């Protein structure tokens, strides 16, 4: 196939469109969430979920954060997203993420 012989795109350089995409709402409790968000060309992305985070098992590294309390964050920088979450940190927040499940191939 073209992607296996001579494609100039490295794995992961494009938008992840292969596999299943799951849209998930996660309810975050008040306070610090112990997650790290980075800015990417696709939008704010979960970079790390720290041990002890209340969102462990709900949110995963690589998830795209598309909304906080129904505020569209797809064009936000990571810093702008954090500002929104800190401003609302005294109450529960709804984080909407897109989770990309890659297909596994076994040989």
């Amino acid at each position: 196939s073209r992607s296996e012989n001579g494609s100039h795109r490295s794995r992961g350089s494009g938008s992840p469109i292969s596999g299943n995409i799951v849209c998930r709402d996660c309810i975050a409790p008040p306070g610090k969430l112990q997650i790290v968000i980075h800015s990417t060309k696709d939008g704010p992305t979960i970079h790390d979920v720290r041990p002890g985070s209340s969102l462990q098992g709900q949110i995963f590294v690589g998830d795209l954060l598309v909304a906080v309390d129904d505020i569209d964050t797809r064009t936000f920088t990571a810093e702008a997203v954090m500002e929104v979450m800190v401003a609302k940190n005294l109450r529960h927040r709804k984080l909407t993420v897109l989770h990309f499940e890659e297909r596994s191939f076994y040989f």
Side-chain angles (χ1 to χ4, degrees), residues 9-63:
R9 292 174 61 171
S10 64
R11 179 175 166 80
S13 66
S15 293
I17 56 173
S18 63
N20 295 325
I21 300 173
V22 178
C23 185
R24 180 183 302 124
D25 287 333
C26 304
I27 303 303
K32 289 191 169 193
L33 301 180
Q34 301 296 318
I35 60 174
V36 178
I37 300 170
H38 279 186
S39 301
T40 71
K41 67 178 179 56
D42 294 318
T45 302
I46 304 303
H47 180 72
D48 190 23
V49 181
R50 300 272 165 86
S53 169
S54 58
L55 294 173
Q56 269 187 315
Q58 297 183 65
I59 205 166
F60 302 93
V61 171
D63 285 357

Side-chain angles (χ1 to χ4, degrees), residues 1 3-4 16 21-22 41 45 52 57 60 64 68 73 83 89 91 93 99 103 107:
S1 87
S3 63
E4 291 173 355
I21 300 173
V22 178
K41 67 178 179 56
T45 302
F60 302 93
L64 192 62
V68 175
T73 59
E83 286 177 18
N89 78 346
R91 60 188 183 87
R93 293 147 287 178
H99 178 72
R103 294 191 176 120
F107 296 98

